[in-house]
């Protein structure tokens, strides 16, 4: 059973097997003017599997995701129209499309109210934090309420060596008026995608497959010719399990309208 299979009692199981139910269905947009802050990972791996019946919308100039609907810059108005007819969705906005996405919502006055929550991932880089502040300001200028904006702190592991990593955001007096900036929703480090050299992977299916393979290895010849492949798969299994654990905690900390059974 995968992470979005319905149970007899109407609930759903997430990628670690815990039961979730989304109440109500919601639309969440992941946006930041900055690149390399983890927007697609957050959209496709943190949010999409944990929001009931959510459909993926990608506003992208290049990479075409293997699932969901992809729209290009000139199709932004079409995407907003389609979103208005959808009850549950995750919108993944590329950095180079963010200005057009926000401009389109300004042209279609009030369309931002169709989005229940805007998630803005950020990382410790100074430029990324500056871009994050500009994104928060742009959302506020559109009229997005403060309680509908969530900061997500990515690469939080750097705080262990540099406690001031996110100070540009956390110390800015304007941040508190734009978003609840307490750094409770965070991702430390997601090594599985680097190891796999791809973010376009179903972690639930991968974890189950490698877990089953690991059980088979226990009774297999540990000195066989495929030992290197087994070791690599075991590494990927460890990384995938840790990623799922982080994604669960990150999702919970966002405090989106999801209740646990």
């Amino acid at each position: 059973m995968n992470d979005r299979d319905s149970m007899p009692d109407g609930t759903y199981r997430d990628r670690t097997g815990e039961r979730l139910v989304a109440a109500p269905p919601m639309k969440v947009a992941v946006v930041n003017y900055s690149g390399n802050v983890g927007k697609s990972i957050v959209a496709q791996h943190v949010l999409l599997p944990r929001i009931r019946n959510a459909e993926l919308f990608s506003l992208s100039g290049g990479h075409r995701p293997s699932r969901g609907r992809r729209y290009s810059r000139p199709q932004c108005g079409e995407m907003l129209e389609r979103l208005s007819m959808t009850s549950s969705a995750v919108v993944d906005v590329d950095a180079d499309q963010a200005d057009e996405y926000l401009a389109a919502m300004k042209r279609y006055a009030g369309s931002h109210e169709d989005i229940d929550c805007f998630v803005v991932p950020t990382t410790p880089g100074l430029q990324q934090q500056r871009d994050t502040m500009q994104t928060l300001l742009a959302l506020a200028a559109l009229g997005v309420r403060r309680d509908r904006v969530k900061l997500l702190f990515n690469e939080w592991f750097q705080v262990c060596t540099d406690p001031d990593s996110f100070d540009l955001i956390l110390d800015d007096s304007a941040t508190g008026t734009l978003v609840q900036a307490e750094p409770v929703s965070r991702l430390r480090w997601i090594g599985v995608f680097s190891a796999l050299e791809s973010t376009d992977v179903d972690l639930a299916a991968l974890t189950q497959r490698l877990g089953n393979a690991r059980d088979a290895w226990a009774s297999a010849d540990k000195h066989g010719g495929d030992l290197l492949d087994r070791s690599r798969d075991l590494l990927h299994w460890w990384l995938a399990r840790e990623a799922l654990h982080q994604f669960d905690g990150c999702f919970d900390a966002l405090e989106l309208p999801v209740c646990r059974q």
Side-chain angles (χ1 to χ4, degrees):
M1 180 176 60
N2 64 37
D3 58 304
R4 301 180 69 189
D5 284 337
S6 178
M7 299 297 292
D9 58 1
T11 63
Y12 286 69
R13 289 189 183 275
D14 69 10
R15 291 184 166 183
T16 63
E18 187 169 4
R19 299 195 309 173
L20 296 173
V21 56
M26 55 184 153
K27 304 178 192 179
V28 182
V30 184
V31 61
N32 195 320
Y33 285 134
S34 186
N36 301 314
V37 292
K39 291 186 296 295
S40 291
I41 287 177
V42 170
Q44 297 180 35
H45 295 285
V46 176
L47 297 173
L48 188 68
R50 294 168 178 80
I51 298 176
R52 183 171 156 187
N53 298 330
E55 183 177 356
L56 179 65
F57 288 70
S58 297
L59 184 60
S60 169
H63 172 68
R64 179 182 292 273
S66 61
R67 52 186 169 177
R69 301 174 181 270
R70 176 186 172 273
Y71 296 85
S72 62
R73 192 180 188 91
Q75 297 175 306
C76 200
E78 178 185 341
M79 185 185 77
L80 293 179
E81 181 181 4
R82 180 72 187 184
L83 268 170
S84 70
M85 297 183 288
T86 303
S87 62
S88 190
V90 174
V91 186
D92 180 11
V93 183
D94 273 7
D96 57 0
Q97 310 295 317
D99 59 340
E100 176 58 26
Y101 176 62
L102 297 178
M105 285 195 292
K106 185 175 182 179
R107 290 194 300 272
Y108 296 90
S111 59
H112 66 276
E113 296 175 356
D114 193 42
I115 301 295
D116 297 298
C117 183
F118 292 85
V119 174
V120 184
T122 188
T123 55
L126 291 179
Q127 186 58 52
Q128 282 76 16
Q129 292 188 66
R130 293 188 185 101
D131 290 341
T132 297
M133 288 301 303
Q134 292 303 310
T135 306
L136 297 177
L137 288 167
L139 290 171
L142 273 176
V144 178
R145 298 201 318 257
R146 175 178 177 267
D147 61 342
R148 289 196 175 194
V149 182
K150 302 284 187 176
L151 269 177
L152 191 157
F153 294 83
N154 196 6
E155 298 181 10
W156 187 259
F157 72 95
Q158 291 196 24
V159 174
C160 297
T161 55
D162 180 9
D164 301 327
S165 295
F166 288 100
D167 275 4
L168 184 63
I169 289 179
L170 296 178
D171 288 350
D172 193 304
S173 60
T175 302
T177 66
L178 303 172
V179 65
Q180 295 177 348
E182 297 177 2
V184 291
S185 184
R186 65 192 72 165
L187 292 172
R188 295 188 299 276
W189 176 74
I190 308 300
V192 64
F193 298 118
S194 297
L196 295 171
E197 298 182 348
S198 173
T199 59
D200 194 11
V201 60
D202 186 333
L203 285 185
L206 176 71
T207 304
Q208 182 175 10
R209 177 177 65 81
L210 295 181
N212 292 339
R214 176 180 175 272
D215 293 338
W217 298 336
S219 58
D221 179 9
K222 294 182 174 57
H223 301 287
D226 61 348
L227 183 59
L228 180 60
D229 289 338
R230 294 181 190 177
S231 298
R232 186 180 298 113
D233 283 349
L234 184 60
L235 172 66
H236 292 166
W237 185 62
W238 287 335
L239 290 172
R241 290 177 68 202
E242 168 59 19
L244 293 177
H245 176 71
Q246 285 195 55
F247 293 162
D248 283 338
C250 181
F251 182 81
D252 290 343
L254 286 171
E255 296 184 347
L256 299 176
V258 172
C259 62
R260 291 188 177 271
Q261 291 277 323

